[in-house]
Amino acid sequence: MGNCSSLTPSNTRDCDPSGCVWQFDVGGGPHAWDWTSGSPPVRELMPVRGPRSTAASRHVPVRAHSVTTGAEVLLESGLEHDLLRELDRLECVNWIVAQPLRLLFERGAGMHRGHAVRRHVPDLLTVTSDGSVTVWDARPPERQDERFLESVQRTRTACEERGWRHRVFAGHSAVKRANLMWLHGFRNPEPWHLVIRMEMARAAGAQFFQLRQLPDVADRQLIVATLWHLVWCGDVQVDLERPLTTETAFQFKV
């Protein structure tokens, strides 16, 4: 599958997370987590809330199947679905949880009883093969207002203090989004993929090849479908920021 270079956290200025309360649902509903007992069992986490939609809502809930978890993931927006499509194809990602936690922050500086508390629920949590945890917020640039950016700063600092990462996903270009939506239809492995992959790799070697150069035989549809699966999982590399055409240059991952 794809690599993990896109998971490297970007830098933002630190802020004081004093009084931050983490809530997780490991069964029985969200509860405050006592970090002195260690990190929460991330593979056992349940969403702290379910997707919901109203007449005034900006979001349309999405029920998506994840190849990584082998189960459905309930998402709150199409942008979250775009993020899932990106993460689900990364070989290094081996677990995904939606609406994984709730953070409680006091609105002003300092913590005093009786002060209003701000709540923030990130959109996704991922675990990579080396055990690294990343918390994700999905928000388009035009909706990243001051309130959201403040929550991002506090969330990122809180995550870093626990040895976790935090990232904001603002969306793909229109071309990359269309490409990933197309490739998403070929995400599931099929019995013939391995044999066809070996034949394609032997013929292509280390050279670039094009879609029109694939064998024009009776099972060409299986060959083309296998190519799309190999692109989805990262075995075949291509520039997804460009439209996929018969002139597109593909290359097997070295």
Side-chain angles (χ1 to χ4, degrees):
M1 295 186 183
N3 61 47
C4 285
S5 59
S6 62
L7 299 187
T8 303
S10 55
N11 294 323
T12 58
R13 63 185 179 86
D14 290 339
C15 58
D16 182 11
S18 176
C20 167
V21 176
W22 296 73
Q23 291 185 342
F24 297 98
D25 186 353
V26 292
H31 289 85
W33 185 258
D34 180 7
W35 285 88
T36 60
S37 62
S39 299
V42 289
R43 288 178 175 270
E44 300 176 20
L45 295 181
M46 303 172 64
V48 297
R49 70 183 184 196
R52 58 188 184 277
S53 180
T54 65
S57 176
R58 300 181 182 180
H59 305 297
V60 178
V62 177
R63 184 184 297 270
H65 177 78
S66 168
V67 175
T68 302
T69 64
E72 288 187 335
V73 180
L74 300 180
L75 308 170
E76 293 188 326
S77 69
L79 187 63
E80 289 180 29
H81 198 181
D82 290 345
L83 175 57
L84 176 67
R85 277 190 287 263
E86 175 73 15
L87 297 172
D88 215 22
R89 62 189 293 265
L90 297 179
E91 185 177 16
C92 63
V93 174
N94 57 28
W95 199 251
I96 300 174
V97 183
Q99 319 301 321
L101 59 96
R102 179 183 292 118
L103 288 170
L104 306 181
F105 299 106
E106 194 269 338
R107 289 181 185 274
M111 277 298 290
H112 302 284
R113 291 184 179 179
H115 281 207
V117 173
R118 174 175 295 176
R119 302 184 177 196
H120 182 61
V121 178
D123 297 306
L124 291 175
L125 177 148
T126 56
V127 185
T128 53
S129 53
D130 64 357
S132 298
V133 176
T134 301
V135 174
W136 295 85
D137 277 299
R139 186 73 63 96
E142 65 273 13
R143 293 194 54 233
Q144 294 186 21
D145 55 17
E146 183 178 353
R147 177 188 175 92
F148 173 74
L149 293 177
E150 180 184 352
S151 294
V152 164
Q153 291 174 353
R154 292 185 174 188
T155 300
R156 180 158 296 160
T157 301
C159 286
E160 289 174 351
E161 289 202 339
R162 300 302 178 184
W164 289 7
R165 299 170 176 172
H166 178 268
R167 292 293 308 277
V168 174
F169 175 73
H172 295 304
S173 67
V175 171
K176 184 173 183 180
R177 182 173 188 269
N179 285 338
L180 288 177
M181 291 180 71
W182 169 256
L183 296 172
H184 194 63
F186 301 90
R187 65 191 183 278
N188 293 316
E190 300 291 352
W192 59 81
H193 283 163
L194 180 59
V195 174
I196 295 179
R197 183 201 183 284
M198 292 175 62
E199 294 177 355
M200 290 173 61
R202 187 183 307 113
Q207 303 301 314
F208 287 98
F209 63 95
Q210 296 176 323
L211 186 61
R212 63 183 180 181
Q213 295 173 322
L214 296 179
D216 189 11
V217 294
D219 58 355
R220 179 178 169 82
Q221 287 186 336
L222 293 184
I223 295 175
V224 174
T226 299
L227 172 64
W228 297 136
H229 175 75
L230 296 176
V231 173
W232 179 85
C233 67
D235 280 354
V236 169
Q237 298 177 329
V238 66
D239 184 1
L240 292 177
E241 292 291 352
R242 295 177 178 272
L244 299 176
T245 71
T246 56
E247 304 297 324
T248 297
F250 300 91
Q251 185 178 38
F252 275 90
K253 182 173 65 175
V254 179

